[in-house]
Amino acid sequence: MADRVHLEEESCGLLLELEHILDSDPLIDEVGFIHPTQLAALIGVVDCDSSGDLDTLKFFNRDHKLGISTQILFPLYKQAKIIFFDEIERYKKQTGISGIWGDETSLQRCKSTLDELEIGVMKHSKVLLLLSADLATAWNSRRAIVLKKDTLSMYMDELRLSELILSYSAKSDQAWSHRRWVIKRIVGKLPNLQEVIGKESKLVERIAERSKMNYRAWNHRCWLVSYMTGEQVVYELKNSRVWAGLHVADSSCFHYRRRLMMRMLEDFCAKNASVSVGSSSEIYDIWKEELEWNKLLIKRYIGREALWLYRRFLSLHWLRDFMTQLDSVIFLDDELHLLHSCSIIPDSDFDDFQAQAMYSTTYILWLARQLSRSHAIVLRQKLQVGDMKDLLNSVCPQRSFFCDMLEE
Amino acid sequence: MGEFAADRHVKYILSVEKRKDDFESVVMEHLRLNGAYWGLTTLDLLGKLDAVDADEVISWIMQCQHESGGFGGNIGHDPHILYTLSAVQVLALFDKLNVLDVNKVASYISSLQNEDGSFSGDMWGEVDTRYLISCFSPVKNKLLKNLSYDRFSYIAICCISILQRLDSINVERAVNYIVSCKNVDGGFGCTPGGESHAGQIFCCVGALAITGSLHHVDKDLLGWWLCERQVKSGGLNGRPEKLPDVCYSWWVLSSLTMIDRVDWIDGQKLVKFILECQDTENGGISDRPDDAVDIYHTYFGVAGLSLLEFPGVKAIDPAYALPVDVVNRIFFGR
């Protein structure tokens, strides 16, 4: 019993200590859970042979980096949780009461308790979220209070907290969704929305660098597109190209490009009320350049699925929305040429070239199935179905049924 | 290829429930209802649901219900549509849907439907400043489109269908919204223009199947994308270029089953992959061979085997994600 009381006091002390660190250094931009031996190395403890010494090391905070000993995570979380849920209960009750009671003094008294409770909920939910990033109830409590105060500085604090959490928990659904909630709240309040959107896009790129093929991060970046101006869309497309060229296996970054390209196409169609895009427009040049760039990558990085799937999209729209019948014959000839050059499998590097041959074959077949009737007829005449069957059988026999779809 | 260690998996699932004294297990407390659904459905698929005390589970579940009618992931946590479906599914497993106030749950779900037919996951899809004070109480309000995800459409539709109250939501609008999330590759994203993802595809195809709207799907095109998820090892991934993961044995396979293209992948190779992900000593299934097991992957591995008609595993319904006999009991009274 005495032991339990002692433990509870100690974990309460841990919570206070952490909250003090967070309060005194609001610019903390990285958090890590660190084994005590590593913590000792960071702090520079020279002599820490005995485990007793290690147990006394709990936090590290320097240059706005926060380290928490893995030894204390469990008691810290337990304590924060008890206090948070207790406080949130009282807060709910209090918000109910202050709405009903009318007279001045009791209202005044309520208000000061309410303020204290709000400060407490904000403090404890922060610690809880640092330890368990997807605890929705804690995020909800913050939203409720921030919404009530409705000040720009509080919204900006929320963006900072979510960024801090994403710095080590890049897949946290809740942290990403919290950002979208904040941005939607401040859209009307900001004179420089485009700047915020631009920064947000850069943030995704930084996180995507550390956390590969992160669906939530890229989904967030795609969501930003609807808030971008036309110029911003073109800028994003050009500026994220180098990154994409260095991450050719990250299919999500190519989906982001798809989203940007489609936004340009939609804008163009809305403005010009035409179904096909003439060769004198900016978007025509951009689309053509994208196709050429994609081909360059395909030849440089052998056997990359993401690049071939991106090409399916680019070529389909190119033929559908940009090409006349005559142009399309030339384009399809080029694509067949690409297929032939990619379906040769040399003896060396068997795996990658095998993959390249498979992706190029399924690329052409996919296109032949998806094209409009007139284009499909042109392509199917050029492709000998028998030849394609042989090719498919040699590069991926398990999917030979793809050819059957052409015969229908 | 190892054998299927059914008994060990049962033991593993029962042991997970008892773990409460380390950081890894307590930080998952907020989604305990999801965990209960994964674990208990697996037990039922393996014919061992009677190994747990039904009354104890049901009484705990009912304590997770909020006054709005929705369920939180655990006692004291805020309600969300995700956990509401899990609660309804687990009650269905135990044939105890009658303990629910169906109208209340149905009205919670229908209150989350937006103008455009989509669903928000909880009240926080809401942005209207008029609800400043009452933000802790349930609100029925016009919710903003962008916070809603397609998976919420599935969750809402599946849940309300199990409760046999499809008429309490606007099905036509819900279907239109789902169709607006369709991509040029035949797949579906979580919002219009979102990247195709096997998990999202399951949600969209499942919702369309339940509402009898599968004619909106180009089955050959979607089947094409889905079967390309099978990689050399036999496992399935959820998106291009990703490593295979046991959970996609469920997401991809159930979708292929619903659109009648399950023979487009190599089932034998997939069975082999799933079996290789077992911990044959202590039970449980992991995402990939030699990784640590968890309850989520154990469920999806067993559910995948069920769709592949593996002996000793009960059949699972690909749309409702419940054993077929449970679904039959709900809709046909056995």
Side-chain angles (χ1 to χ4, degrees):
Chain A
M1 186 67 196
D3 268 6
R4 223 185 73 200
V5 173
H6 174 70
L7 271 175
E8 274 174 17
E9 272 172 14
E10 198 179 270
S11 56
C12 205
L14 289 173
L15 182 62
L16 286 174
E17 196 176 338
L18 177 55
E19 285 177 349
H20 176 71
I21 294 174
L22 293 171
D23 269 351
S24 51
D25 186 1
L27 298 179
I28 289 173
D29 57 11
E30 229 175 285
V31 179
F33 303 149
I34 304 173
H35 191 267
T37 51
Q38 286 173 297
L39 203 59
L42 273 174
I43 295 171
V45 178
V46 195
D47 182 28
C48 59
D49 290 341
S50 71
S51 60
D53 285 346
L54 286 177
D55 282 347
T56 61
L57 304 175
K58 296 179 172 89
F59 302 103
F60 165 84
N61 176 31
R62 199 182 297 154
D63 304 326
H64 309 303
K65 313 291 172 213
L66 173 65
I68 304 175
S69 163
T70 48
Q71 297 293 91
I72 62 166
L73 292 175
F74 185 52
L76 191 58
Y77 176 84
K78 260 177 42 183
Q79 191 59 40
K81 194 186 86 175
I82 292 168
I83 296 187
F84 168 77
F85 276 98
D86 176 57
E87 221 143 37
I88 202 82
E89 258 326 294
R90 280 162 54 209
Y91 182 64
K92 280 184 206 176
K93 275 194 194 122
Q94 202 70 29
T95 45
I97 291 166
S98 63
I100 303 161
W101 285 9
D103 73 282
E104 276 294 308
T105 29
S106 55
L107 213 61
Q108 223 33 48
R109 206 171 50 231
C110 269
K111 203 181 167 308
S112 63
T113 333
L114 207 57
D115 286 345
E116 275 168 33
L117 280 171
E118 278 166 358
I119 292 168
V121 169
M122 290 304 271
K123 259 189 185 180
H124 305 317
S125 61
K126 190 185 227 174
V127 171
L128 264 185
L129 289 170
L130 287 178
L131 301 173
S132 176
D134 277 319
L135 190 68
T137 307
W139 287 111
N140 291 346
S141 70
R142 298 185 72 82
R143 285 194 275 263
I145 292 168
V146 172
L147 193 63
K148 190 170 158 229
K149 304 275 177 198
D150 203 35
T151 63
L152 192 57
S153 71
M154 274 189 102
Y155 285 116
M156 297 320 259
D157 285 347
E158 291 310 292
L159 286 182
R160 261 191 298 280
L161 173 63
S162 128
E163 184 175 343
L164 177 61
I165 287 169
L166 290 171
S167 76
Y168 63 94
S169 188
K171 288 185 174 176
S172 165
D173 220 4
Q174 291 285 336
W176 284 112
S177 145
H178 195 63
R179 299 192 82 71
R180 289 190 286 278
W181 179 81
V182 169
I183 292 170
K184 274 186 259 178
R185 296 291 316 160
I186 58 175
V187 161
K189 295 181 168 58
L190 284 176
N192 57 341
L193 177 68
Q194 297 320 315
E195 201 184 308
V196 171
I197 299 296
K199 271 190 189 161
E200 205 59 19
S201 178
K202 280 281 158 216
L203 171 76
V204 173
E205 192 165 296
R206 278 203 307 281
I207 290 176
E209 181 69 45
R210 288 195 306 270
S211 168
K212 298 284 184 273
M213 300 195 239
N214 181 333
Y215 187 82
R216 291 172 186 87
W218 286 99
N219 186 49
H220 185 74
R221 207 174 188 184
C222 286
W223 174 81
L224 294 170
V225 174
S226 59
Y227 287 93
M228 289 178 186
T229 60
E231 293 78 46
Q232 231 172 344
V233 170
V234 176
Y235 172 87
E236 281 286 318
L237 203 56
K238 287 187 175 152
N239 255 274
S240 58
R241 178 182 279 191
V242 174
W243 198 95
L246 293 170
H247 299 81
V248 289
D250 199 326
S251 198
S252 295
C253 85
F254 292 101
H255 183 75
Y256 179 57
R257 299 187 77 74
R258 254 176 238 149
R259 183 82 192 84
L260 291 166
M261 302 284 279
M262 283 312 287
R263 164 72 197 277
M264 279 197 320
L265 194 57
E266 284 155 18
D267 285 358
F268 183 88
C269 292
K271 224 184 279 169
N272 296 282
S274 70
V275 268
S276 88
V277 185
S279 61
S280 58
S281 56
E282 186 192 21
I283 181 172
Y284 184 98
D285 294 335
I286 291 178
W287 211 284
K288 194 168 178 217
E289 215 181 301
E290 193 77 359
L291 269 162
E292 276 162 17
W293 172 67
N294 170 264
K295 189 187 274 184
L296 189 89
L297 293 179
I298 279 178
K299 289 184 170 171
R300 187 180 296 161
Y301 301 99
I302 306 296
R304 297 280 30 136
E305 186 182 14
L307 294 175
W308 284 102
L309 294 194
Y310 187 42
R311 194 162 190 81
R312 288 183 188 176
F313 160 83
L314 288 172
S315 300
L316 183 66
H317 278 287
W318 185 240
L319 286 159
R320 250 190 211 167
D321 303 315
F322 295 82
M323 298 272 95
T324 62
Q325 187 72 19
L326 191 65
D327 289 339
S328 62
V329 175
I330 300 167
F331 176 75
L332 287 173
D333 274 337
D334 280 352
E335 294 313 282
L336 285 172
H337 186 71
L338 180 67
L339 164 70
H340 292 310
S341 70
C342 292
S343 52
I344 302 160
I345 305 173
D347 290 338
S348 59
D349 292 323
F350 185 73
D351 266 10
D352 288 347
F353 284 95
Q354 177 93 14
Q356 183 87 327
M358 178 175 82
Y359 294 134
S360 59
T361 310
T362 52
Y363 159 70
I364 285 288
L365 288 172
W366 188 89
L367 215 52
R369 184 187 183 272
Q370 287 313 103
L371 284 177
S372 65
R373 180 167 268 280
S374 59
H375 285 131
I377 290 170
V378 175
L379 182 57
R380 286 178 201 189
Q381 276 168 353
K382 290 175 187 290
L383 290 171
Q384 299 297 321
V385 173
D387 288 354
M388 287 314 288
K389 260 195 173 156
D390 291 344
L391 191 55
L392 197 59
N393 268 325
S394 70
V395 293
C396 69
Q398 72 277 21
R399 288 177 200 145
S400 55
F401 53 83
F402 282 167
C403 269
D404 303 340
M405 285 187 250
L406 289 191
E407 285 166 348
E408 285 159 16
Chain B
M1 178 164 80
E3 290 196 357
F4 181 51
D7 292 344
R8 306 255 156 133
H9 298 325
V10 171
K11 254 186 211 150
Y12 166 73
I13 291 164
L14 296 173
S15 75
V16 169
E17 177 47 33
K18 295 186 184 89
R19 252 181 72 190
K20 276 178 187 145
D21 52 358
D22 57 33
F23 184 60
E24 285 72 25
S25 52
V26 291
V27 291
M28 304 299 273
E29 280 174 340
H30 63 278
L31 45 82
R32 190 158 173 250
L33 238 172
N34 280 162
Y37 160 73
W38 297 324
L40 295 167
T41 308
T42 311
L43 287 181
D44 199 4
L45 289 173
L46 298 174
K48 290 281 159 47
L49 191 59
D50 52 7
V52 294
D53 181 343
D55 291 339
E56 201 181 308
V57 177
I58 291 158
S59 128
W60 166 71
I61 286 183
M62 295 314 287
Q63 289 177 68
C64 296
Q65 193 174 23
H66 192 255
E67 57 192 15
S68 60
F71 287 78
N74 207 335
I75 299 171
H77 289 251
D78 288 351
H80 194 283
I81 202 166
L82 260 169
Y83 309 116
T84 307
L85 173 62
S86 287
V88 169
Q89 283 171 318
V90 172
L91 291 174
L93 284 178
F94 288 113
D95 197 11
K96 280 283 190 247
L97 284 170
N98 58 345
V99 304
L100 280 178
D101 180 342
V102 173
N103 288 333
K104 212 172 171 187
V105 183
S107 91
Y108 171 74
I109 292 167
S110 63
S111 77
L112 293 171
Q113 188 168 27
N114 305 315
E115 281 291 298
D116 62 0
S118 66
F119 285 84
S120 295
D122 63 11
M123 60 170 283
W124 287 103
E126 183 258 330
V127 290
D128 197 313
T129 50
R130 278 175 303 163
Y131 292 93
L132 286 187
I133 304 301
S134 61
C135 48
F136 274 112
S137 58
V139 286
K140 184 174 178 176
N141 189 30
K142 184 174 174 249
L143 302 145
L144 203 90
K145 169 177 157 184
N146 285 329
L147 253 187
S148 62
Y149 282 88
D150 237 19
R151 60 193 167 117
F152 298 154
S153 302
Y154 165 74
I155 289 164
I157 288 170
C158 182
C159 193
I160 210 110
S161 169
I162 292 174
L163 299 173
Q164 305 193 56
R165 289 292 159 86
L166 263 177
D167 57 340
S168 61
I169 60 164
N170 188 328
V171 173
E172 194 188 338
R173 279 193 194 172
V175 167
N176 287 342
Y177 182 77
I178 293 169
V179 172
S180 76
C181 297
K182 191 157 70 173
N183 286 321
V184 78
D185 56 22
F188 293 83
C190 52
T191 45
E195 185 186 356
S196 293
H197 182 292
Q200 298 297 342
I201 291 173
F202 160 78
C203 291
C204 293
V205 174
L208 294 175
I210 290 171
T211 54
S213 316
L214 278 177
H215 56 277
H216 288 292
V217 178
D218 180 340
K219 292 177 184 163
D220 281 345
L221 184 63
L222 176 59
W224 188 309
W225 191 91
L226 287 169
C227 77
E228 287 183 325
R229 299 302 107 239
Q230 187 160 40
V231 301
K232 272 195 171 165
S233 64
L236 302 167
N237 63 20
R239 285 181 284 144
E241 303 270 9
K242 294 277 285 182
L243 291 171
D245 182 323
V246 157
C247 73
Y248 295 106
S249 312
W250 167 258
W251 306 117
V252 173
L253 209 53
S254 56
S255 305
L256 282 170
T257 308
M258 286 185 275
I259 61 169
D260 201 19
R261 298 287 184 280
V262 84
D263 56 336
W264 284 16
I265 59 147
D266 186 332
Q268 284 311 308
K269 277 179 88 175
L270 180 57
V271 167
K272 183 170 169 285
F273 177 79
I274 298 173
L275 294 181
E276 280 168 359
C277 294
Q278 298 179 104
D279 179 339
T280 45
E281 212 167 294
N282 301 309
I285 299 174
S286 57
D287 57 350
R288 277 182 281 288
D290 301 324
D291 278 358
V293 303
D294 60 60
I295 194 122
Y296 173 86
H297 288 95
T298 305
Y299 162 61
F300 286 115
V302 172
L305 289 174
S306 166
L307 289 173
L308 292 162
E309 297 173 8
F310 194 85
V313 185
K314 269 164 69 170
I316 190 165
D317 184 280
Y320 287 100
L322 284 171
V324 169
D325 59 357
V326 172
V327 175
N328 287 342
R329 190 168 64 204
I330 297 168
F331 294 107
F332 309 113
R334 259 169 239 263

